[in-house]
Amino acid sequence: MINDNALVLDIKKSEDSNRLLSHLPTLSSQSAGWNHIFLAHYQTSAHECPEHYYSHHLLWLNLNYQDCSLQLKSRLGGKFGKYEISRGSIGIVPANIQNWMAWNQNAEFLILALCPEFVKQVFHELMDDSNMELIAQVAITDSLIEHIMLALKADIESEYSLGNIYAESLAATLTVHLLKHYSVKKRQLPSDTEGLSSYRLKQAIDYIQAHLEENIKLSEIAAAVGMSQYYFIRLFKQSMGMTPYNYVIEQRLERAKQMLKHQDLALGEISARCGFADQSHFTRYFKRQFGVTPQAMRNSLHTNHLTSTNCQYLQLLLPRMSFGKIASSF
């Protein structure tokens, strides 16, 4: 039962972050425009959080180094415990569960908030059941959760260079993982082997091609084909052998490769017209895919074009030269 004096917090709001931890995060996805998911990075001294509960499902990941483990006291859902927290330790705090925490020294950690409505929607689609309940966890280790949270942090640090479709894809993956491993009703998820119908696949590809230069959202592609995000990701991967995010990156790179043939287009313009966040992001992905920088590829294409043109000119010229020699011998 929730204490009437407990704080009701939306960790995405700066005022609530300040009420909980007495200061703001050093880094957050506040301006990212991500759907259903929020991430913040904190560095704090020893602290005691007041009694509170969250409006969102919340996950935390400790980033203290191995030789700087800290002592955590936690009262989560009425259950009190003392834990030694090391780097990689994770907590899961379901929405509307009363929580109190205190730690004894400087701490660095990530907080991730998931929209309960989104989690419930995914659960309903998977299980045909809307009665979903996550199980609270303290000081667990989970490599997938850790990887997703660190990947989102890296995307924020690169000024969201991977786009909304990247964060939304990770949100869907994380949600399914939580439902499979940390929910009261654990069931085997259904498997889909047929993929998207040819009509829906064409709809998705056409939408992606028409919006490549934009910050495409996974939710928009899924809506265009009339499907939920999670099922769209699964079926698209079945059909194409890659996730929607990887397909978008691949198509952007292929379009950029074709545009490099036009010497009058600056690399910055090509980057923008292919949907990359900036030229450095474009260059990094291009070199990873093709093994050379865009400029090196352009130079190679230009050299090959000149060589081909010269060869065609010589082929036209050689018959005339031969005829001239024959004529002079008469």
Side-chain angles (χ1 to χ4, degrees):
M1 184 174 180
I2 294 174
N3 185 340
D4 292 338
N5 296 321
L7 299 177
V8 183
L9 301 176
D10 180 349
I11 200 65
K12 303 191 307 300
K13 297 179 179 179
S14 57
E15 58 268 28
D16 282 359
S17 174
N18 206 33
R19 291 165 73 193
L20 179 67
L21 296 163
S22 301
H23 62 81
L24 299 176
T26 59
L27 189 75
S28 86
S29 62
Q30 190 68 51
S31 61
W34 294 346
N35 287 330
H36 317 306
I37 194 168
F38 171 83
L39 188 88
H41 173 255
Y42 289 89
Q43 291 177 309
T44 74
S45 56
H47 186 71
E48 179 179 343
C49 298
E51 294 276 357
H52 63 278
Y53 67 96
Y54 301 109
S55 58
H56 289 64
H57 301 305
L58 185 136
L59 291 78
W60 54 259
L61 169 66
N62 180 47
L63 297 179
N64 279 34
Y65 289 103
Q66 295 291 353
D67 57 349
C68 297
S69 60
L70 55 84
Q71 301 299 316
L72 174 72
K73 296 179 181 179
S74 169
R75 184 165 57 248
L76 182 56
K79 182 180 179 181
F80 180 82
K82 295 181 180 180
Y83 308 89
E84 183 170 320
I85 303 298
S86 58
R87 185 177 180 86
S89 293
I90 290 167
I92 300 175
V93 185
N96 302 319
I97 297 293
Q98 191 163 329
N99 187 30
W100 170 89
M101 297 176 71
W103 51 91
N104 66 337
Q105 64 184 58
N106 293 345
E108 180 183 2
F109 52 90
L110 295 175
I111 286 180
L112 183 150
L114 267 177
C115 175
E117 289 75 20
F118 174 68
V119 175
K120 186 176 291 187
Q121 175 193 344
V122 173
F123 187 80
H124 177 70
E125 291 166 354
L126 291 175
M127 306 296 188
D128 195 24
D129 186 348
S130 58
N131 295 319
M132 183 281 307
E133 183 179 349
L134 292 178
I135 302 172
Q137 306 285 338
V138 181
I140 64 169
T141 56
D142 187 304
S143 59
L144 180 62
I145 294 176
E146 181 178 4
H147 174 79
I148 288 174
M149 294 179 71
L150 291 175
L152 290 170
K153 177 178 179 285
D155 189 40
I156 298 172
E157 291 171 334
S158 67
E159 299 182 345
Y160 318 114
S161 62
L162 301 179
N164 283 354
I165 189 173
Y166 179 74
E168 292 181 0
S169 297
L170 291 181
T173 301
L174 175 60
T175 298
V176 173
H177 182 72
L178 292 174
L179 296 177
K180 287 176 65 177
H181 299 282
Y182 304 106
S183 66
V184 173
K185 296 182 179 180
K186 297 184 180 71
R187 303 180 192 170
Q188 186 67 33
L189 298 184
S191 59
D192 299 288
T193 58
E194 296 182 359
L196 290 168
S197 67
S198 57
Y199 174 72
R200 278 182 161 169
L201 182 60
K202 183 178 184 303
Q203 278 185 309
I205 290 174
D206 287 348
Y207 183 92
I208 290 170
Q209 293 295 336
H211 297 83
L212 265 185
E213 65 183 73
E214 303 171 15
N215 188 2
I216 301 175
K217 292 185 176 182
L218 178 66
S219 55
E220 294 171 344
I221 308 173
V225 299
M227 299 184 71
S228 70
Q229 294 180 49
Y230 171 66
Y231 266 120
F232 172 69
I233 292 173
R234 292 182 68 190
L235 298 182
F236 187 93
K237 188 174 181 179
Q238 289 285 349
S239 297
M240 299 297 293
M242 66 180 74
T243 64
Y245 167 73
N246 287 331
Y247 179 77
V248 167
I249 293 297
E250 179 186 83
Q251 292 305 300
R252 284 174 172 165
L253 291 171
E254 287 298 328
R255 177 177 290 187
K257 185 178 178 182
Q258 295 304 313
M259 294 177 72
L260 285 172
K261 297 176 182 178
H262 302 282
Q263 295 291 321
D264 57 327
L265 292 177
L267 294 181
E269 183 179 355
I270 293 175
S271 169
R273 287 170 63 174
C274 292
F276 291 98
D278 52 50
Q279 187 174 328
S280 63
H281 176 233
F282 165 48
T283 300
R284 184 167 65 253
Y285 269 78
F286 194 94
K287 187 173 182 180
R288 184 184 301 173
Q289 177 74 5
F290 299 114
V292 295
T293 65
Q295 186 59 56
M297 174 73 77
R298 165 170 276 177
N299 294 340
S300 175
L301 291 170
H302 183 59
T303 301
N304 291 340
H305 175 71
L306 290 177
T307 301
S308 176
T309 301
N310 289 338
C311 287
Q312 291 175 4
Y313 175 74
L314 287 173
Q315 287 175 354
L316 292 172
L317 188 62
L318 281 173
R320 296 181 182 179
M321 293 174 63
S322 299
F323 178 77
K325 290 180 181 179
I326 295 172
S328 63
S329 65
F330 281 94

